[in-house]
Amino acid sequence: MSQFENTRIVLASRPEGRPTPQNFRLEQAAIPAISEGQVLLKILYLSLDPYMRGRMSAAKSYAAATEIGQVMEGGTVAEVIESRDPAFKPGDIVLSYSGWQSHAAASAAQLRKLDPANAPVTTALGVLGMPGFTAYAGLLTIGQPKPGETVVVAAASGPVGSAVGQIARIKGARAVGIAGGPEKCAFVRETFGFDAVIDHRDPDMAGKLAAACPNGIDVYFENVGGHVWDAVFPLLNTFARIPVCGLVAQYNASGEFPGPDRLPMLMREVLSKSLTIRGFIQREFVAAQGPAFRKEMASWIADGSVKYKEDVVQGLENAPEALIGLLEGKNFGKLIIKL
Ligand SMILES: NC(=O)c1ccc[n+]([C@@H]2O[C@H](COP(=O)([O-])OP(=O)(O)OC[C@H]3O[C@@H](n4cnc5c(N)ncnc54)[C@H](OP(=O)(O)O)[C@@H]3O)[C@@H](O)[C@H]2O)c1
């Protein structure tokens, strides 16, 4: 890579269903010039997250779609290589939202300085960043787990699910995880310390989940939807809380959803069991809870009550395949591209 060129990946076309490598295009561009109040960044790490599939689609959502030809969006950890703002100097490491590219100009006001002495800088993209905060805010604000209750979460080896289960246990609840395959399940039980783990590829997942939740489910932190939701639904207790965080099982779906309309059944249960189902986007909680999260999560990591796993893939050019794989469970931990 020439130091005078910006290597970047743009959205080449919108996917129908599962994305393909052809939906992305790798190109070279000039390194941007910076103006007063800006810094020039060399990107070190790029976060890959399920929401990126949504940005590739033109469907109406909570955030604007990425335009065709526009650089794919994403959270990044970067090094300042030139500064026209007194708050930053070359060599500073920052959290930025610079997307899938090797270099970027950024407004100093939108950056947060990272201290590599405090924590590995990649954690700002995972356990100490947006996914960890999503778990913290969604579980504590909406889920409100109480001692002795049962909390269930899927995608339990990923950055959101693993934090949900571990925070649930800190609050005295039982954590039951759902993950894909024996290797992930073993890790969730042994390293993240969940009380029980179910493999969602097991043909008897629903039976195993019922056996793992003998007192029913008080909090279901919804990360995936699909057949996991079908197994969870009959086990929900009266007054259960369901933070709806993500539906990764259906992000690649196209056209009408299959099957009968089960909305009347859902509404009957919402009423008769006094269920609380609330969707959320993490950023709605950032202003109120961001500082408390960073302090509390850092202390949990320091005392060993929260552990995390990162899955680092080398090379920006491998980001498209890695994102496609993320939507199918090929990642194992917080997915990060090292540039
Ligand atoms: N609301 C918000 O503000 C917000 C913010 C961040 C993330 N989220 C959501 O939180 C969820 C987890 O995000 P993450 O970053 O922690 O992702 P992640 O766990 O690293 O990756 C997604 C995981 O989903 C699982 N999965 C994929 N297809 C599945 C299917 N059909 N059935 C069951 N599981 C499936 C896979 O794990 P297995 O191999 O274990 O199945 C995959 O590894 C996503 O839905 C994401 O969109 C929401």
Side-chain angles (χ1 to χ4, degrees), residues 44-48 312-313 315-316 318-319 322 335-339:
L44 306 176
Y45 297 99
L46 163 69
S47 177
L48 293 186
V312 180
V313 173
L316 181 63
N318 293 316
L335 186 57
I336 293 170
I337 298 290
K338 184 175 193 306
L339 274 75

Side-chain angles (χ1 to χ4, degrees), residues 176-188:
V176 177
I178 298 171
E183 204 193 345
K184 286 185 178 180
C185 288
F187 199 89
V188 169

Side-chain angles (χ1 to χ4, degrees), residues 104-338:
S107 293
Q110 288 166 355
L111 304 175
R112 180 154 64 81
K113 219 179 269 190
L114 300 173
D115 184 352
N118 283 347
V121 292
T122 49
T123 57
L125 302 174
V127 67
L128 282 168
M130 183 278 282
F133 178 70
T134 301
Y136 177 91
L139 181 66
L140 298 182
T141 310
I142 305 171
Q144 301 183 10
K146 297 177 186 56
E149 287 191 334
T150 297
V151 174
V152 173
V153 64
S157 71
V160 176
S162 61
V164 165
Q166 293 179 89
I167 297 170
R169 283 184 51 81
I170 289 168
K171 299 295 171 189
R174 272 187 82 236
V176 177
I178 298 171
E183 204 193 345
K184 286 185 178 180
C185 288
F187 199 89
V188 169
R189 200 169 36 246
E190 287 155 22
T191 303
F192 294 139
F194 281 48
D195 297 278
V197 189
I198 313 299
D199 187 342
H200 69 80
R201 297 191 202 138
D202 187 321
D204 184 32
M205 177 191 53
K208 299 249 168 70
L209 184 64
C213 302
N215 300 322
I217 296 172
D218 302 293
V219 180
Y220 174 53
F221 192 99
E222 174 63 292
N223 269 343
V224 302
H227 71 304
V228 174
W229 167 247
D230 290 338
V232 164
F233 185 59
L235 303 176
L236 292 170
N237 288 334
T238 298
F239 300 123
R241 286 84 66 197
I242 303 151
V244 180
C245 172
L247 298 165
V248 67
Q250 65 191 51
Y251 291 170
N252 280 342
S254 59
E256 293 293 310
F257 292 110
D261 179 3
R262 288 178 294 174
L263 187 60
M265 180 178 74
L266 172 67
M267 293 307 282
R268 186 190 65 202
E269 294 292 279
V270 168
L271 175 62
S272 65
K273 286 186 176 167
S274 301
L275 301 178
T276 299
I277 301 182
R278 190 191 147 182
F280 73 100
I281 302 300
Q282 51 81 23
R283 66 184 181 206
E284 72 198 70
F285 298 121
V286 167
Q289 298 180 36
F293 157 73
R294 285 205 289 275
K295 201 161 157 243
E296 211 161 13
M297 187 59 105
S299 76
W300 288 333
I301 293 170
D303 72 17
S305 46
V306 169
K307 303 206 165 50
Y308 62 93
K309 181 172 187 347
E310 297 176 337
D311 183 347
V312 180
V313 173
Q314 179 72 48
L316 181 63
E317 66 282 7
N318 293 316
E321 283 291 358
L323 178 64
I324 294 166
L326 172 73
L327 299 165
E328 298 169 347
K330 293 201 177 116
N331 64 310
F332 189 178
K334 169 63 206 148
L335 186 57
I336 293 170
I337 298 290
K338 184 175 193 306

Side-chain angles (χ1 to χ4, degrees), residues 22-74:
Q22 288 68 40
N23 296 131
F24 305 86
R25 187 174 62 245
L26 187 129
E27 50 180 48
Q28 307 292 333
I31 300 268
I34 55 169
S35 49
E36 212 48 50
Q38 286 194 316
V39 299
L40 182 63
L41 298 174
K42 179 177 185 298
I43 312 302
L44 306 176
Y45 297 99
L46 163 69
S47 177
L48 293 186
D49 297 273
Y51 75 81
M52 292 170 174
R53 175 63 184 85
R55 303 289 159 85
M56 296 176 76
S57 156
K60 197 168 183 294
S61 183
Y62 64 91
T66 302
E67 298 297 333
I68 303 291
Q70 193 183 325
V71 175
M72 290 285 297
E73 291 175 37

